[in-house]
Amino acid sequence: MSTGISESVITLPDILAEWPWKRNLNPLSHLQTEAESTAWTRSFVVFTPRLQQALELGDHHLLSSLAYPLENKDVFRVGCDLMNLFFFLDECTDIASSQEVKQMSTIVLDALCNPDKARPESECFIGEATRQFWELSSRCASKGARRRFIEGLYKFTTAVVDQAHDRDKNYIKNVDEYFLVRRNTIGAMPAFAVLEFSLNLPDEVFEDPVIQKLTNICVDLIILSNDIYSYNVEQARGDANHNLVTILMHHKNLSLAETMKWIGDYASKIVSEFLDDLNHVPSFGEGVECDLERYLYGIANWVRANDCWSFECRRYFETNGLQIQQTRKVDLLPR
């Protein structure tokens, strides 16, 4: 295995160089909706200095505003609360054993399926947070969107348990194994479901192979950008096994520079496929076309949103994100 540790500077590929969707921001950003979501988040736990720092570095409301630029107040609030819920889930599961993660997964799914049921007082706060989130959010969602959101979060929690098993065993998946799990641990599918909360898209849209491929490519592009931007801080703290960069270096014996090139080339390939397939979206009738166009814009915009957020928040690059976004160069952090 080539570790790439001797390389002191990482060159980040610009995987969205040919992505035509530009940065967009919800005009409701920084208004009452974000304040309400923040107050809701803080109602569950006493924020330790470490948790407070993680929340500030992540700037999850910025991600919500970038990812849901066209949504009304109610759906934008759902997006803000969902990003905060994911923050809770990450903080709870990233340091837990697989058995503990499985217990939390069971709690989350039970709360999601039974939002009217009171949670036990002795239960982890994540149960009540999930219950309150879904009790409020499901009110503004169409029936199909509610079902797809639950399906997406079920796959997310199941995959997070799988990730925890690997962490317990210090196991590094191969590329194919990794993508099967990562497409769910990334959390994109429930996030995409929020895009259709105010739309009326029939099931046949999501069963169509062209729509499925377009969706999968967007998920994969989010994975690629997340993994190349998060790798540095993850390797520095010794927690980079669930990352495509580590996996490629481990299983393909690539240097860090070679790995970044591999990811850049793969991203270029699937971006080209997305742009081509977008010209072959079938018609589902006049009553569906406008909603479908907005949904496809939404998933394509999510790719751009995640990329912009990675540089604009301080989670991965501290205060140097905008400079690194231009230079594509970042110093490798010591372990």
Side-chain angles (χ1 to χ4, degrees):
M1 170 186 171
S2 176
T3 64
I5 297 303
S6 62
E7 302 169 67
S8 60
V9 176
I10 304 172
T11 300
L12 302 169
D14 187 357
I15 67 173
L16 298 185
E18 302 301 323
W19 197 248
W21 291 270
K22 304 303 181 183
R23 182 185 186 276
N24 201 357
L25 204 65
N26 194 305
L28 298 174
S29 180
H30 303 301
L31 298 178
Q32 183 181 359
T33 303
E34 291 185 0
E36 292 171 350
S37 184
T38 297
W40 174 76
T41 302
R42 293 184 177 279
S43 69
F44 294 104
V45 293
V46 176
F47 275 68
T48 63
R50 184 193 68 80
L51 201 61
Q52 177 65 34
Q53 182 186 40
L55 185 66
E56 291 176 356
L57 291 177
D59 199 350
H60 304 102
H61 292 160
L62 170 63
L63 177 57
S64 303
S65 188
L66 290 164
Y68 302 109
L70 304 182
E71 305 307 328
N72 61 33
K73 180 179 182 294
D74 290 338
V75 180
F76 179 52
R77 170 65 191 273
V78 174
C80 290
D81 288 352
L82 177 61
M83 296 305 107
N84 287 326
L85 184 64
F86 275 140
F87 167 73
F88 281 148
L89 289 167
D90 284 345
E91 289 298 313
C92 289
T93 61
D94 278 355
I95 58 175
S97 69
S98 57
Q99 185 59 40
E100 291 170 328
V101 174
K102 187 175 182 179
Q103 291 172 350
M104 280 186 271
S105 173
T106 300
I107 289 170
V108 167
L109 293 174
D110 183 68
L112 194 66
C113 294
N114 300 283
D116 298 326
K117 184 176 77 172
R119 308 308 303 173
E121 290 187 7
S122 59
E123 184 180 80
C124 172
F125 77 92
I126 201 68
E128 179 60 13
T130 304
R131 188 198 70 77
Q132 288 189 21
F133 163 77
W134 194 234
E135 182 184 42
L136 176 66
S137 300
S138 61
R139 296 173 187 171
C140 60
S142 62
K143 183 178 179 180
R146 289 197 299 270
R147 187 180 72 253
R148 278 181 281 276
F149 181 90
I150 292 173
E151 290 172 354
L153 203 65
Y154 170 79
K155 291 178 179 178
F156 168 80
T157 56
T158 302
V160 168
V161 175
D162 189 296
Q163 178 185 354
H165 278 297
D166 290 346
R167 187 169 59 242
D168 287 351
K169 300 173 184 176
N170 198 30
Y171 176 68
I172 301 176
K173 283 179 161 47
N174 64 39
V175 175
D176 290 338
E177 291 174 329
Y178 175 71
F179 269 109
L180 285 175
V181 174
R182 186 66 168 130
R183 285 175 180 135
N184 291 312
T185 61
I186 195 68
M189 293 311 293
F192 287 179
V194 173
L195 294 167
E196 54 164 317
F197 269 31
S198 58
L199 306 179
N200 187 24
L201 292 171
D203 290 346
E204 64 177 314
V205 169
F206 299 94
E207 294 165 356
D208 180 80
V210 176
I211 302 301
Q212 289 178 350
K213 184 180 179 184
L214 292 170
T215 302
N216 289 339
I217 289 175
C218 287
V219 173
D220 284 359
L221 287 169
I222 292 172
I223 291 170
L224 297 181
S225 64
N226 181 271
D227 283 10
I228 62 175
Y229 301 146
S230 67
Y231 172 75
N232 200 19
V233 293
E234 290 176 355
Q235 67 81 26
R237 65 173 183 252
D239 184 30
N241 283 358
H242 193 68
N243 187 300
L244 184 61
V245 177
T246 297
I247 287 165
L248 288 169
M249 289 195 293
H250 182 82
H251 287 288
K252 292 185 178 291
N253 197 33
L254 300 177
S255 69
L256 184 51
E258 290 168 339
T259 297
M260 291 297 173
K261 183 180 184 306
W262 188 102
I263 292 174
D265 291 344
Y266 179 68
S268 180
K269 172 180 174 292
I270 62 176
V271 164
S272 178
E273 290 177 4
F274 184 92
L275 297 177
D276 181 63
D277 289 340
L278 201 58
N279 295 319
H280 299 92
V281 173
S283 174
F284 297 93
E286 291 185 7
V288 177
E289 284 186 6
C290 288
D291 280 358
L292 178 57
E293 182 178 350
R294 177 160 165 168
Y295 177 77
L296 291 175
Y297 166 82
I299 62 174
N301 175 73
W302 237 110
V303 175
R304 177 64 68 185
N306 180 71
D307 193 83
C308 290
W309 167 78
S310 299
F311 292 106
E312 294 176 34
C313 74
R314 293 181 291 143
R315 179 173 179 142
Y316 304 130
F317 306 115
E318 296 184 340
T319 59
N320 303 313
L322 294 180
Q323 178 185 351
I324 292 169
Q325 188 178 29
Q326 297 300 317
T327 65
R328 316 304 295 185
K329 305 286 186 182
V330 58
D331 292 334
L332 186 69
L333 296 171
R335 289 194 61 171

